[in-house]
Amino acid sequence: MTRILVVDDEPQLLRALRINLAARHYEVAVAPDGGSALRQAADWHPDLVVLDLGLPDMEGVDVIHGLRGWTAIPIIVLSGRAGSQDKVDALDAGADDYVTKPFGIDELLARIRAVSRRSAVHESELARISIGDHVVDLVGKTVSGGVRLTPTEWRLLEILVRNPGKLITQRQLLNDVWGSSYRTETNYLRQYLAQLRRKLEPDPGRPVHLLTEPGMGYRFQP
């Protein structure tokens, strides 16, 4: 049974999530603040954490840093804040996905299933990835159909396809592909994603695999 730790300072939301998740056969523990969440995670070793960013004793990003110091378990953040920067900071800190409050339980459950599937995927299963009519071979570093990618295009595509369904922030992509001095050059990403879509998407103007989340980053949807 999958263990989920839910961290939020709203008692009614904690109760609702505990009931709904338990009804779907998850084993659930709850924590009302960051300090107790970190202690609970260390003692209980959950398989996944659902974490509110607005906690009474510390920032949710600090909890993510605390967890990432010793575990790679999936983290889904909850945010009631209107801006995207808090979510971006959480994703850069190591969160796997986010849900904006208010949210429906079906949306949260879908995110839980998605990050759980990603965490269970082995390297061998990621060796060959389909994008439209093309197959990307991560071992051979080739794309079927005679498609040729530049080294930069390949590095960008590789990061996305190795994280299927996960939102990768603009800052993370720029840092990993071009280096830390390019973290604000978002025009690079727009240009190279457009090139990848022209080469790989069936309809580049309406991409279904290489997706943009405005102001946040990019996501590969298998």
Side-chain angles (χ1 to χ4, degrees):
M1 184 179 293
T2 301
R3 293 182 168 194
I4 298 180
L5 173 62
V6 181
V7 187
D8 201 295
D9 62 340
E10 299 179 39
Q12 289 183 330
L13 180 59
L14 277 184
R15 181 175 181 274
L17 289 179
R18 184 173 57 210
I19 291 171
N20 277 281
L21 291 171
R24 289 161 175 84
H25 308 292
Y26 292 106
E27 188 174 350
V28 186
V30 298
D33 55 57
S36 60
L38 290 172
R39 291 191 296 272
Q40 182 98 320
D43 293 340
W44 194 53
H45 294 282
D47 300 304
L48 182 145
V49 174
V50 176
L51 171 69
D52 183 30
L53 291 182
L55 298 172
D57 60 337
M58 66 174 72
E59 288 293 323
V61 169
D62 293 329
V63 178
I64 296 171
H65 284 302
L67 291 169
R68 284 292 174 253
W70 62 274
T71 180
I73 60 171
I75 301 171
I76 299 175
V77 297
L78 308 178
S79 176
R81 300 166 184 172
S84 64
Q85 190 57 50
D86 291 310
K87 300 166 192 168
V88 170
D89 290 342
L91 291 163
D92 281 335
D96 293 86
D97 212 336
Y98 73 92
V99 176
T100 302
K101 293 181 177 179
F103 57 86
I105 188 64
D106 288 340
E107 178 186 4
L108 178 60
L109 289 167
R111 301 282 184 171
I112 288 172
R113 291 192 296 270
V115 298
S116 297
R117 283 195 300 270
R118 290 200 300 271
S119 67
V121 171
H122 299 293
E123 184 71 17
S124 60
E125 295 174 306
L126 281 174
R128 296 171 66 84
I129 303 292
S130 295
I131 302 180
D133 296 328
H134 302 285
V135 176
V136 179
D137 184 341
L138 294 177
V139 176
K141 295 187 180 298
T142 61
V143 180
S144 67
V147 175
R148 295 191 177 186
L149 302 182
T150 67
T152 300
E153 289 171 345
W154 179 266
R155 178 62 183 140
L156 187 58
L157 178 66
E158 184 177 24
I159 293 171
L160 290 169
V161 300
R162 284 188 182 277
N163 295 276
K166 180 177 180 179
L167 174 62
I168 310 296
T169 64
Q170 295 174 343
R171 185 163 53 188
Q172 181 180 341
L173 286 170
L174 288 166
N175 181 74
D176 291 352
V177 177
W178 286 276
S180 58
S181 60
Y182 290 84
R183 288 184 179 178
T184 60
E185 303 291 342
T186 55
N187 59 304
Y188 282 33
L189 292 174
R190 288 193 294 272
Q191 175 186 338
Y192 276 90
L193 260 297
Q195 292 171 193
L196 285 172
R197 286 168 179 150
R198 282 196 294 271
K199 293 180 178 182
L200 299 174
E201 290 275 4
D203 183 353
R206 296 180 180 179
V208 294
H209 299 292
L210 301 173
L211 306 179
T212 301
E213 296 214 12
M216 300 283 291
Y218 298 87
R219 191 190 303 266
F220 165 61
Q221 189 63 47

